[in-house]
Amino acid sequence: MSIPEFDSDFGVKLDELLHWRRDVRHFKADAIAPELVRTLLEKAMRAPSVGYSQPWRWVIIESGAKRSAVLKEFEHCNAEALEGYGGEVANLYAKLKLSGLREAPVQIAVFMDCAAETGKGLGQRTMPETRTWSVVMAIHTLWLTARAAGLGLGWVSILNPDTMRDILEISEDFRFVAYLCLGVAEQERETPLLERAGWEKKLNGDDLIFFR
């Protein structure tokens, strides 16, 4: 295979991809071909991983009963989260749509395999959490490849990890990292939802980059 050249045109398209990636919560009901989902996951697994450990494990949730249980768990955790806010912030939180669990045609739970010996522990002695970060890298890669394929992806984090492992009947060796909703976005917006809703504003890069 010849080494590709990434020219300025590619750079422009990559910048557009990064600019238009969104955490999607509004999905159309359009079905997604299983072959496409498999292709996207294969691309996601090209992400870097510490010591080439490849610790990601993907669980595609097809059972209606399990999806309902996940939705119930989200609603429980979301109600608890709301209790942690007060005043106008609580009112704003209550109005936010924070998941696409009712609509997303594809739902994937992502775990990190704590027991896998792949990679032989390279690079993990002082920072074992890098295995989890490797899974996050794969999720981000999936996010970009899904967007490039015309699909939206949303990360649902308002879930209890232990409960999720119980619902999905997953080994205790698997650490829950994320629950992802995948499908055709109902709308395409240039500005992130939480920024549009007034929850938070985009930080200035000058305040986030330091020199020593």
Side-chain angles (χ1 to χ4, degrees):
M1 179 182 295
S2 61
I3 299 175
E5 293 185 9
F6 302 108
D7 58 18
S8 58
D9 289 340
F10 174 83
V12 170
K13 299 303 291 184
L14 176 59
D15 185 64
E16 290 177 349
L17 176 62
L18 295 171
H19 182 73
W20 283 91
R21 183 213 56 80
R22 290 288 167 268
D23 187 356
V24 178
R25 289 88 182 270
H26 300 82
F27 294 92
K28 296 182 180 179
D30 306 40
I32 307 300
E35 297 80 9
L36 176 56
V37 175
R38 179 58 183 255
T39 296
L40 292 175
L41 290 178
E42 292 287 353
K43 291 181 178 181
M45 290 186 281
R46 295 176 187 170
S49 60
V50 60
Y52 204 34
S53 56
Q54 306 154 76
W56 38 73
R57 302 293 183 264
W58 315 87
V59 181
I60 300 175
I61 317 304
E62 298 179 324
S63 163
K66 291 194 180 301
R67 286 192 178 198
S68 295
V70 172
L71 175 60
K72 183 177 179 180
E73 169 64 7
F74 165 78
E75 291 173 339
H76 170 73
C77 291
N78 196 43
E80 287 190 336
L82 176 59
E83 293 176 357
Y85 296 103
E88 288 303 314
V89 176
N91 292 334
L92 180 57
Y93 184 93
K95 296 176 183 177
L96 295 173
K97 179 174 173 55
L98 297 175
S99 88
L101 292 170
R102 295 183 183 276
E103 308 88 3
V106 178
Q107 300 184 21
I108 305 171
V110 192
F111 292 83
M112 187 272 284
D113 190 343
C114 302
E117 297 181 356
T118 314
K120 304 177 183 61
L122 177 65
Q124 303 162 48
R125 181 175 178 276
T126 54
M127 299 179 70
E129 61 271 24
T130 51
R131 288 175 64 85
T132 300
W133 298 347
S134 297
V135 177
V136 175
M137 290 291 291
I139 293 170
H140 187 250
T141 304
L142 175 62
W143 225 321
L144 295 179
T145 55
R147 184 63 186 85
L151 300 178
L153 185 142
W155 182 330
V156 183
S157 61
I158 307 173
L159 298 164
N160 182 283
D162 291 333
T163 304
M164 289 300 297
R165 196 170 55 239
D166 291 342
I167 290 173
L168 301 177
E169 301 174 277
I170 296 296
S171 165
E172 291 188 1
D173 290 332
F174 281 25
R175 178 178 299 164
F176 179 70
V177 178
Y179 196 89
L180 307 177
C181 294
L182 178 69
V184 178
E186 188 176 76
Q187 52 188 330
E188 297 285 359
R189 296 292 185 88
E190 187 173 6
T191 305
L193 184 149
L194 293 180
E195 188 174 351
R196 298 198 312 271
W199 181 260
E200 191 54 84
K201 62 181 180 180
K202 182 176 177 58
L203 297 177
N204 189 317
D206 292 339
D207 298 327
L208 305 175
I209 301 172
F210 303 88
F211 299 90
R212 293 291 185 270

